[in-house]
Amino acid sequence: ANLSVHYSLKRLDRWLSVRLEFLGNAMVFAAATASIAVARAGRTTAGSTGWGLTQALAITGLLNWAVRCLTESETQMMSVAR
């Protein structure tokens, strides 16, 4: 019984991980596309573009962190309610 719960939890973890990675990659793609458009217009430098892409790449880790914090808060609230 405990093993089936563990496998279900792992499946859900993988499902969420794939979705968050997809969302983060979509944001990076949008930032890259926008930076190309702005660079062609001559309104940005290479350093600013690189910094923007670096920040967009960090969004995936921030999404994972936010989900972890929300889950931990929910767990603590449930233990208080009991």
Side-chain angles (χ1 to χ4, degrees), residues 19-69:
R19 295 324 187 260
L20 289 175
E21 285 288 331
F22 177 76
L23 183 61
N25 289 335
M27 294 174 120
V28 170
F29 178 74
T33 304
S35 67
I36 289 171
V38 172
R40 285 190 178 172
R43 295 184 295 177
T44 187
T45 63
S48 296
T49 301
W51 181 80
L53 288 175
T54 301
Q55 295 303 312
L57 284 168
I59 198 73
T60 304
L62 289 173
L63 287 172
N64 286 328
W65 174 78
V67 168
R68 240 180 291 131
C69 284

Side-chain angles (χ1 to χ4, degrees), residues 1-9 11:
N2 289 337
L3 209 51
S4 65
V5 172
H6 178 73
Y7 287 138
S8 295
L9 183 62
R11 280 197 308 262

